Amino acid sequence: MKAGNQTATMVALCLLKDYDLNSRIIQKAIQEMGGLEILVNLLETKDLKCQNGSLTALLQIATCTEMRRYLIDLGIVTPLIDMLRHPARDIQVLATETMAIIARIRKARKQIRVRGGIPLILDVMDIPDITLKRSYDDLSETNKELLAVAIGCAKVLDSLSSSPKVKEQLHKHGVVKIMERFLKSGHTSLVIPMMGAVQQCATLEAFQKSFEQTDIMPDVVRHLKKTDNIKLKENCALAIFHCGVNKVARDIVREASGLDMLCKLLQDKEVCANKRLLAAVTGGIWKCAASAENILRFNQNGLVALLVPFLEEHEDENVLAHVVGALAECCKDTTNRDILRINEGLPKLIKLLSSTYEPLLENIPMVIKECAQNEQCMDIINDPEHILDGVRLVWSLLKHPSDAIKRNACLALVPCIKYAKDSPEMVRAFVGGLELTVSLLQSKDTKVLSAVCATIAQIAKDPENLGILSDHGVVEELSNLVETEDECLRANLTLAIAYCSEWEENSYKFGQLKAVGPLINYMTSKNKDVLRGVCIAAYHLSKDPSNCITMHSYGIIKHVLRLVGSDDPEVQIAAASTIRNIRKLALTAEKLHFKEIKTLEETDFLL
């Protein structure tokens, strides 16, 4: 190939193809002898046969990751892009197939994007509808060639779609319309890579909204139900998983009977044996379970009982995380908590708390949060004599470096503390637990702060535990947070301040730390939870005379007069009690003032 003329080069290429080019030893030998440079250079020749022979060899050699990286460094991307314009269809096919393999490397994806490859790929793959609709045997030779090019381009899109920047460009250049057309095709070899691109692009919000306005989601469900191809099933399930964050998509899946199919796949032994496919299916179930209507449909399929057997430690971690996430959503329905308990799912869940996989540890506390509201479930969760002491394990998650895990653990502790038998003793039994909880008030994450405040509000309802919290400086830490603009944090912070005010001079301390005034400003909020919390906090703080004066100066009266008419009885009582405390202080002041005047008058008379 180096020294010969055009004929000798062609003969050499033919002889080269007789070797096993997939062999690592052969690939290394070609690389060391400078063969890869020659093969890449041949792509830029004008000879059709040389280009064909070179592409055929490169297509096999590029299956090795190391060879792919070397070829990219040799500049293979540019000639591959240029070959998309080649008049010969077989060259286009080989070029797209090779590009699809090369594009698995991040550097290649960037080069294709920067060098204008994306609009060219979309233009080349825009084939007539007749090619998509007819069976392969009924197509003319020309249409068969067009179909082969489209399949190659779809494979390129599948490889490119892992890049966020490429996805943005694809959306900009109108790839959604092509996806919609191609998913209606009966050619499985075309649908598989296109569905791969769909499920990857579905992670982008812009694509999710575009998919909702097309027939893509119904087609995803249709292919999931009809196909026997494992890869296509996986891509369909992943598309549902990624699009399932939006309610519109979840509703489409339900209306297309996709939920029933997902439950059916859980019972398929072939699916259960394939961990990637099983992770995709359970992920789709998890996201779809976020809708109450979908939970009702899942209940008809007995989903919770189907999920429990997957809660085994030897299962794939992604599968476990998705299964637990689905259970967290399903257990919002009270009937499913009993089903989970009856099927002995809780002990398995608690055992998984010793895992180190973060997505799994994020989801387990959310199941416990829902189940803790059931008395019988709570007895299982909080069994200190059992090796699986769920509350203790959840509390230990507060030490985890992940903010999401700490937040969810705090949210789970709230109902655990509220519904556990002998709750105050249980809380005090965790050595260092209260100190750890207070220390989390120094977090920079507002969601963590909000969850910790909710936990502290629940703990502070017990006087003895409140005393321990106070010793650890809870008043100072809560006072530092009052300037927040986050509504969720405000709602829980006000409740924490309210219940923490009941210990000795804590109410007075909040006033001294200038926490009372900013709280009154919360009363302009339109958030009902914030208004409820600040109203209860105002009542507890108003028990201290100095706080009443501060509240009055911040114009609290007009707000509490309005809140007396609230629909929430607790808010009504808190607002009325605040007015009473402020008025009581005013009357006391008036009496003192009257006595002072009377005393002065009597003194003047005597003089």
Coordinates of all heavy atoms in Angstrom, one line a residue, residues 420-430 462 464-465:
A420 N -43.6 7.0 66.4 CA -43.0 6.0 67.1 C -43.5 5.9 68.6 O -43.8 7.0 69.2 CB -41.5 6.1 67.2
K421 N -43.6 4.7 69.1 CA -44.0 4.6 70.5 C -42.7 5.0 71.4 O -41.6 4.6 71.0 CB -44.4 3.1 70.8 CG -45.6 2.7 70.1 CD -45.9 1.2 70.2 CE -47.1 0.8 69.4 NZ -47.4 -0.7 69.5
D422 N -43.0 5.6 72.5 CA -41.9 6.1 73.3 C -40.9 6.9 72.5 O -39.7 6.8 72.6 CB -41.2 5.0 74.0 CG -42.1 4.1 74.9 OD1 -43.0 4.7 75.5 OD2 -42.0 2.9 74.9
S423 N -41.5 7.8 71.7 CA -40.6 8.6 70.8 C -39.5 9.4 71.5 O -38.4 9.4 71.0 CB -41.5 9.5 70.0 OG -40.7 10.4 69.2
P424 N -39.8 10.2 72.6 CA -38.8 11.0 73.2 C -37.6 10.1 73.7 O -36.4 10.5 73.5 CB -39.5 11.6 74.4 CG -40.9 11.6 74.0 CD -41.1 10.4 73.2
E425 N -37.9 8.9 74.3 CA -36.8 8.1 74.7 C -36.0 7.5 73.5 O -34.8 7.4 73.6 CB -37.3 6.9 75.5 CG -37.9 7.3 76.9 CD -39.2 8.0 76.8 OE1 -39.8 8.0 75.8 OE2 -39.7 8.5 77.9
M426 N -36.7 7.3 72.4 CA -36.0 6.7 71.2 C -35.0 7.8 70.7 O -33.9 7.4 70.3 CB -37.1 6.4 70.1 CG -36.5 6.0 68.8 SD -37.7 6.1 67.4 CE -37.8 7.8 67.1
V427 N -35.4 9.0 70.7 CA -34.6 10.1 70.2 C -33.3 10.3 71.1 O -32.2 10.4 70.6 CB -35.4 11.4 70.1 CG1 -34.4 12.6 69.8 CG2 -36.5 11.3 69.0
R428 N -33.5 10.2 72.4 CA -32.4 10.4 73.3 C -31.5 9.2 73.3 O -30.3 9.3 73.7 CB -32.9 10.7 74.7 CG -33.5 12.0 74.9 CD -33.8 12.3 76.4 NE -34.8 11.5 77.0 CZ -36.1 11.8 76.9 NH1 -36.5 12.8 76.3 NH2 -37.0 11.0 77.5
A429 N -32.0 8.1 72.8 CA -31.2 6.8 72.8 C -30.0 6.9 71.8 O -29.0 6.2 71.9 CB -32.0 5.6 72.5
F430 N -30.2 7.8 70.8 CA -29.1 7.9 69.8 C -28.0 8.9 70.3 O -28.2 10.1 70.2 CB -29.7 8.4 68.4 CG -30.8 7.5 67.9 CD1 -32.0 8.1 67.5 CD2 -30.7 6.2 67.9 CE1 -33.0 7.3 67.0 CE2 -31.7 5.4 67.4 CZ -32.9 5.9 67.0
D462 N -40.9 17.6 72.6 CA -40.6 17.0 73.9 C -39.7 18.0 74.7 O -38.7 18.3 74.2 CB -40.0 15.7 73.7 CG -39.5 15.1 75.0 OD1 -40.4 14.6 75.8 OD2 -38.3 15.0 75.3
E464 N -37.8 17.7 77.3 CA -36.4 17.2 77.7 C -35.5 17.2 76.4 O -34.3 17.7 76.5 CB -36.5 15.8 78.2 CG -35.2 15.4 78.9 CD -35.3 14.1 79.7 OE1 -36.5 13.7 80.0 OE2 -34.3 13.4 79.9
N465 N -36.0 16.8 75.3 CA -35.2 16.8 74.1 C -34.9 18.3 73.6 O -33.9 18.6 73.1 CB -35.9 16.1 73.0 CG -35.8 14.6 73.2 OD1 -34.9 14.1 73.9 ND2 -36.7 13.8 72.6

